[in-house]
Amino acid sequence: MLQAQIQNFSYQKCWRDVLEEFNFENVNDLSSKCLINFGGKTLALSKWVSPKRTRSYPYARVYDTFDNPKANKVVTIIPIIKDEGLSGDMDYLQWDTISLMSLLNVYVILGFYDYAEVHPTRKNKITKQKFNNNYIVKQLTNLISYHQSALHWNLNQLENKNLSALVEIAKNSYKKIEDSLNVKLHNTQNIDKFAQKISEDRKTFIEFSRQKAQQAQNRESLTIQPKEQIGIGQKAKITISNYLGGQYFFTIDDVLFKNGILYLCESKHTKSSLLPSSDDIKDGLLKLMLYNNLSSIAGYKKFKIILRLTSNLLRDSFSLPNNNVDSILAHHDFSNTQISILKALNIESQNNHFEVWINYEQ
């Protein structure tokens, strides 16, 4: 287990996708990442489908909205609870998710689902869940006139009275969904236990969240995902503590120690393309933002942060940043999109002092 500290946060983003722009009417009609015009302000907004960070690339969407030059604020909407039915998963908000967003200066709006449909093939499972739009509108209305930092806003979202009230609303909403669709959801006692944990005090909520995060971390450290190609070093758990009181529990895909340097590699792999998907890479970059701002790792004097991209189809290897990137790319059959990604990564890695290894081993 690696123990690390983070004191300050800075990052120069270079890879920017064009976001669609909407005049806000209903949150459920928006794409998962976009610009919205609301109350005379422009907000860069992303949506999570679940409070669990491993579902549908929420980190990639937050990366896409991060530091948007058009936006007055960067906002992400997260359901406080998601119940997929007795045959599906039950996910809860975790403290460290909010803490991480605070570190990135992303304003969090917590919401709840009040609409769903019966899953077409699985008994006692629901799908196509939608946020209660009126609640989101109220929160956005409050946010556009809010002039303090994301940290202050997010801590206010986590005040016991605010959380407890929202959990109760979400619980009642799922009860209505269960009755109207005639499906079995998870026992409401699970939500009551969650409500009890978060309403006692902040410390209890933090401990509850971290227990869940540590359990997920332990599972992940024992599992090799199909998209991961482990082959240089080993997986390792890392706990990162920051000045906001946050602790982040991650699993590093590849860790190796060579010539007095500890290498932390966030690895993404593909079997069917020359590069992993853009969402995979962005997911890695958001975690890499955190690793790249580490001030110390207990027991190690020197460490380097690596984004490692591997492919079954790519036969050559190279690393970024590289002054001869155009020449390197000319010798491969990358698509125009992949070339744009690699050129952006070349600048981003140079500006932020990390390395990108493409099929490359130290």
Side-chain angles (χ1 to χ4, degrees):
M1 168 77 78
L2 297 172
Q3 299 287 342
Q5 296 285 332
I6 185 170
Q7 294 180 342
N8 299 303
F9 184 89
S10 64
Y11 193 84
Q12 295 183 46
K13 182 178 170 184
C14 308
W15 181 8
R16 296 188 185 278
D17 287 346
V18 177
L19 299 178
E20 283 189 272
E21 194 163 345
F22 298 87
N23 292 318
F24 184 93
E25 293 183 5
N26 189 309
V27 66
N28 299 295
D29 296 334
L30 301 174
S31 59
S32 60
K33 55 183 182 182
C34 58
L35 292 171
I36 63 166
N37 301 311
F38 186 94
K41 303 287 186 180
T42 299
L43 306 175
L45 181 143
S46 59
K47 296 188 295 183
W48 296 46
V49 299
S50 162
K52 193 172 183 179
R53 68 188 184 210
T54 53
R55 299 286 192 92
S56 300
Y57 296 108
Y59 282 178
R61 295 195 288 273
V62 172
Y63 174 87
D64 278 325
T65 56
F66 177 80
D67 192 33
N68 188 285
K70 290 186 177 181
N72 299 103
K73 289 183 173 75
V74 179
V75 185
T76 196
I77 298 176
I78 305 175
I80 191 168
I81 296 168
K82 186 176 188 183
D83 188 349
E84 295 183 338
L86 201 57
S87 298
D89 293 322
M90 181 80 169
D91 297 328
Y92 301 91
L93 178 74
Q94 292 188 4
W95 172 275
D96 292 313
T97 296
I98 309 297
S99 190
L100 176 57
M101 294 302 107
S102 298
L103 192 68
L104 297 171
N105 203 36
V106 175
Y107 293 80
V108 175
I109 290 179
L110 300 176
F112 66 93
Y113 291 122
D114 68 348
Y115 173 88
E117 297 178 12
V118 176
H119 195 280
T121 59
R122 293 187 61 183
K123 185 179 179 181
N124 292 325
K125 188 172 183 183
I126 57 176
T127 186
K128 297 183 179 179
Q129 299 192 45
K130 293 183 179 181
F131 285 107
N132 179 285
N133 188 60
N134 290 335
Y135 185 84
I136 300 299
V137 168
K138 289 178 183 177
Q139 294 302 306
L140 286 172
T141 301
N142 293 335
L143 181 61
I144 60 171
S145 58
Y146 191 84
H147 298 293
Q148 295 193 67
S149 69
L151 170 62
H152 287 89
W153 168 272
N154 294 344
L155 287 177
N156 186 57
Q157 294 273 296
L158 293 175
E159 285 293 329
N160 290 340
K161 61 179 181 179
N162 295 333
L163 273 181
S164 298
L166 184 56
V167 169
E168 188 66 22
I169 292 171
K171 173 185 167 182
N172 293 334
S173 181
Y174 271 125
K175 182 61 178 171
K176 290 178 181 177
I177 290 173
E178 183 177 48
D179 293 340
S180 65
L181 297 182
N182 194 27
V183 296
K184 284 192 176 295
L185 302 185
H186 288 86
N187 194 315
T188 56
Q189 289 181 354
N190 295 326
I191 298 179
D192 291 336
K193 290 177 183 177
F194 176 61
Q196 182 182 4
K197 290 290 185 184
I198 66 176
S199 64
E200 290 176 3
D201 54 48
R202 186 170 292 172
K203 183 179 179 182
T204 306
F205 181 28
I206 292 172
E207 290 174 352
F208 172 79
S209 295
R210 288 177 183 166
Q211 182 181 10
K212 294 285 188 184
Q214 283 176 311
Q215 290 170 353
Q217 183 193 52
N218 289 336
R219 289 192 300 271
E220 187 179 350
S221 67
L222 296 173
T223 305
I224 297 178
Q225 300 294 340
K227 291 183 178 180
E228 295 172 2
Q229 177 176 301
I230 308 301
I232 57 162
Q234 60 186 8
K235 278 197 172 192
K237 294 185 287 186
I238 185 169
T239 300
I240 302 170
S241 303
N242 80 341
Y243 65 97
L244 302 176
Q247 279 192 317
Y248 313 102
F249 299 92
F250 289 105
T251 300
I252 309 289
D253 295 323
D254 283 306
V255 175
L256 63 152
F257 185 72
K258 189 173 182 179
N259 298 327
I261 300 174
L262 181 72
Y263 293 88
L264 307 183
C265 304
E266 180 65 23
S267 296
K268 301 294 180 181
H269 179 66
T270 177
K271 295 179 180 179
S272 57
S273 179
L274 293 179
L275 272 185
S277 71
S278 61
D279 277 345
D280 257 335
I281 296 172
K282 289 170 184 174
D283 179 89
L285 281 173
L286 195 85
K287 285 182 272 188
L288 190 141
M289 284 184 187
L290 195 62
Y291 305 154
N292 205 49
N293 280 278
L294 296 180
S295 55
S296 64
I297 299 176
Y300 298 92
K301 292 182 178 180
K302 294 182 179 181
F303 56 91
K304 285 188 176 182
I305 309 303
I306 310 296
L307 177 64
R308 181 171 175 255
L309 309 177
T310 57
S311 165
N312 283 1
L313 302 184
L314 187 63
R315 299 305 173 195
D316 201 358
S317 63
F318 56 96
S319 64
L320 306 174
N322 194 307
N323 292 331
N324 297 315
V325 66
D326 289 334
S327 176
I328 292 172
L329 297 180
H331 289 86
H332 297 84
D333 293 325
F334 291 117
S335 67
N336 289 336
T337 298
Q338 291 170 334
I339 289 172
S340 296
I341 289 171
L342 288 168
K343 286 185 175 182
L345 287 176
N346 193 52
I347 299 171
E348 199 149 323
S349 60
Q350 185 173 34
N351 289 351
N352 296 286
H353 310 293
F354 64 87
E355 296 180 15
V356 183
W357 293 352
I358 293 94
N359 266 21
Y360 175 84
E361 297 182 12
Q362 176 64 22

